[in-house]
Amino acid sequence: MKRKHKTGEVFAYLFATVAGTLLLPVVAPVIMWTNARGYADDYSWLPGIQSGGGVTSALAAFVYVVAFAALIGGVAFFASSGGSVLDSPSAGADGSGLGVSATPTPTEAPTLPPVEEETKDADPNNETQEP
């Protein structure tokens, strides 16, 4: 019984985290505008955030959230070597299906020139001697 309660808590926290992340560009400006729980007062040291809230604080909070999201997106982009999911070899042109054949194409092995046999009287150190 206790296990089901823990699983429900995990899903509730996961849902709250995802919903909060998606709603952050809307919720953060509203919180700063209304000065809910004194957040605007606490963060008035940031440029654009005024003590007591207001429209200017809401716009500044929106800019901060967008800049933070762009920063995280840029870090993720460069951490993935600048590629995207569509650039992966397992994706087709539209991102679905196989884009590369499953069997590798055979490559031609390099050929070496034939080796000449040495005679018993040939001196290996003498380069002018003919075989």
Side-chain angles (χ1 to χ4, degrees), residues 9 13 42 55 65 84 98 115:
E9 279 185 29
Y13 285 131
D42 293 342
V55 175
V65 168
S84 69
L98 291 176
V115 178

Side-chain angles (χ1 to χ4, degrees), residues 9 32 42 51 66 68-69 72-73 79-80 82-83 87 101 123 125 128:
E9 279 185 29
M32 289 299 173
D42 293 342
S51 182
V66 169
F68 183 72
I72 296 299
S80 68
D87 294 338
S101 67
D123 184 13
N125 295 328
T128 59

Side-chain angles (χ1 to χ4, degrees), residues 13-102:
Y13 285 131
L14 181 65
F15 178 75
T17 302
V18 170
T21 302
L22 293 176
L23 294 175
L24 192 62
V26 175
V27 173
V30 170
I31 288 172
M32 289 299 173
W33 184 9
T34 60
N35 194 20
R37 296 187 181 229
Y39 280 114
D41 296 334
D42 293 342
Y43 292 102
S44 62
W45 57 271
L46 289 170
I49 305 291
Q50 298 174 352
S51 182
V55 175
T56 307
S57 298
L59 290 174
F62 181 75
V63 169
Y64 285 130
V65 168
V66 169
F68 183 72
L71 177 71
I72 296 299
V75 168
F77 178 75
F78 286 116
S80 68
S81 302
S84 69
V85 175
L86 296 177
D87 294 338
S88 69
S90 63
D94 61 350
S96 64
L98 291 176
V100 181
S101 67

